[in-house]
């Protein structure tokens, strides 16, 4: 079945460490997105990519980095510069930016906790 | 600016009650799309409905119904005869340029 796989489901990070969240899709979608979810704040866009080897900052890109070397993969690195990284991270994809009739297809998320 | 407001942070109901989740949006676009998603405890967002700005007809799908009113920039979601399985966080979203813009979400708790 086609879909988006995010791993790991839970991730613990020590302060000062970089961590990378994985996102893989087999839907042949061109566009991919990373959102951050905090209680009471909805989903905020971190980065998005419209095509391989290209990506754009979203609303809260500071302290994060991404790469898009393959169509299927859009990993997110949470760097030590991110002051408050504890959150739930959702990856999504769509055939093109702005979404198709379903909006986006979402992964099941990674919950990152800084210890 | 484009914005989605879900003023209800949490709603608690008893099973079989009807419940309405409010969504108010702002956009200057004449053509736009609105969405509702459900986020169960597992975390994945599940698509419920898409509505385009040209179609103001209300839609019903089983126990779910949606009321779209352009005049008040609202796209409200009603669950009739709620069930415990409806407990989740519900998000309203507006398609902006190159992204979906989400509201803060409404957490619905349905108690037996």
């Amino acid at each position: 079945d086609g879909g988006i796989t995010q791993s790991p489901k839970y991730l613990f990070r020590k302060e000062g460490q970089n961590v990378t969240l994985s996102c893989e899709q087999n839907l042949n979608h061109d566009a991919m997105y990373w959102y951050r979810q905090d209680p009471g704040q909805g989903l905020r866009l971190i980065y998005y990519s419209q095509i391989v080897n290209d990506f754009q900052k979203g609303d809260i890109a500071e302290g994060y980095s991404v790469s898009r070397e393959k169509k299927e993969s859009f990993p997110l690195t949470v760097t030590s510069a991110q002051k408050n990284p504890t959150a739930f991270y959702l990856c999504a994809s769509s055939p093109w930016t702005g979404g198709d009739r379903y909006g986006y297809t979402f992964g099941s998320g990674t919950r990152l906790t800084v210890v | 600016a484009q914005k989605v407001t879900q003023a209800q942070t949490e709603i608690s109901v008893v099973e079989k009650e009807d419940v309405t989740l409010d969504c108010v949006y702002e956009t200057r676009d004449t053509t736009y799309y609105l969405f509702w998603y459900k986020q169960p405890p597992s975390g994945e967002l599940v698509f419920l409905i898409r509505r385009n700005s040209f179609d103001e007809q209300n839609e019903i799908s089983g126990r779910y119904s949606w009321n779209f009113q352009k005049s008040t920039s609202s796209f409200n979601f009603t669950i009739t005869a709620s069930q415990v399985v409806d407990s989740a966080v519900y998000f309203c979203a507006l398609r902006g340029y190159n992204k979906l813009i989400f509201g803060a979400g409404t957490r619905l708790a349905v108690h037996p």
Side-chain angles (χ1 to χ4, degrees):
Chain A
D1 284 339
I4 297 182
T5 301
Q6 288 189 244
S7 61
K9 194 170 179 66
Y10 299 94
L11 186 57
F12 296 89
R13 190 195 92 171
K14 292 183 180 178
E15 285 195 30
Q17 284 184 338
N18 293 353
V19 288
T20 297
L21 282 59
S22 170
C23 178
E24 304 275 336
Q25 54 100 355
N26 60 4
L27 299 164
N28 200 33
H29 286 172
D30 282 319
M32 296 186 74
Y33 315 82
W34 275 105
Y35 281 88
R36 170 179 171 143
Q37 183 178 3
D38 296 282
Q41 294 197 48
L43 278 69
R44 293 181 290 168
L45 183 65
I46 305 172
Y47 268 98
Y48 67 97
S49 168
Q50 300 179 60
I51 199 166
V52 174
N53 292 324
D54 181 64
F55 47 83
Q56 308 294 329
K57 291 182 179 179
D59 302 316
I60 55 165
E62 186 175 348
Y64 300 97
S65 66
V66 294
S67 63
R68 187 86 187 276
E69 297 176 1
K70 298 186 299 181
K71 189 175 185 177
E72 303 79 24
S73 178
F74 191 40
L76 173 74
T77 297
V78 184
T79 74
S80 55
Q82 170 49 235
K83 291 183 170 50
N84 184 21
T86 294
F88 187 59
Y89 292 86
L90 279 162
C91 179
S93 73
S94 64
W96 52 84
T97 53
D100 59 7
R101 71 178 308 274
Y102 303 109
Y104 299 162
T105 301
F106 285 87
S108 56
T110 293
R111 188 166 299 280
L112 173 63
T113 304
V114 173
V115 296
Chain B
Q2 295 178 307
K3 186 179 176 183
V4 175
T5 301
Q6 294 180 256
Q8 303 151 309
T9 305
E10 293 189 31
I11 300 176
S12 181
V13 300
V14 176
E15 213 171 13
K16 297 184 184 175
E17 282 186 36
D18 298 346
V19 57
T20 295
L21 283 62
D22 298 333
C23 173
V24 173
Y25 62 92
E26 295 175 30
T27 181
R28 293 180 186 166
D29 293 343
T30 53
T31 301
Y32 51 89
Y33 294 88
L34 295 160
F35 300 82
W36 275 96
Y37 290 89
K38 175 182 179 180
Q39 185 181 41
S42 60
E44 183 174 345
L45 266 70
V46 178
F47 168 85
L48 294 178
I49 191 171
R50 182 188 85 156
R51 175 51 48 92
N52 72 57
S53 53
F54 291 106
D55 183 3
E56 290 198 64
Q57 204 169 15
N58 290 335
E59 183 154 343
I60 298 175
S61 175
R63 297 185 295 109
Y64 295 171
S65 62
W66 290 269
N67 182 280
F68 175 42
Q69 292 196 331
K70 257 175 122 168
S71 60
T72 56
S73 296
S74 65
F75 186 39
N76 296 337
F77 172 33
T78 296
I79 301 175
T80 303
S82 60
Q83 299 176 2
V84 172
V85 293
D86 296 325
S87 297
V89 180
Y90 291 87
F91 289 98
C92 181
L94 168 69
R95 193 176 86 180
Y97 179 71
N98 282 345
K99 63 181 179 182
L100 286 184
I101 300 161
F102 288 85
T106 297
R107 181 176 297 277
L108 173 65
V110 181
H111 303 284

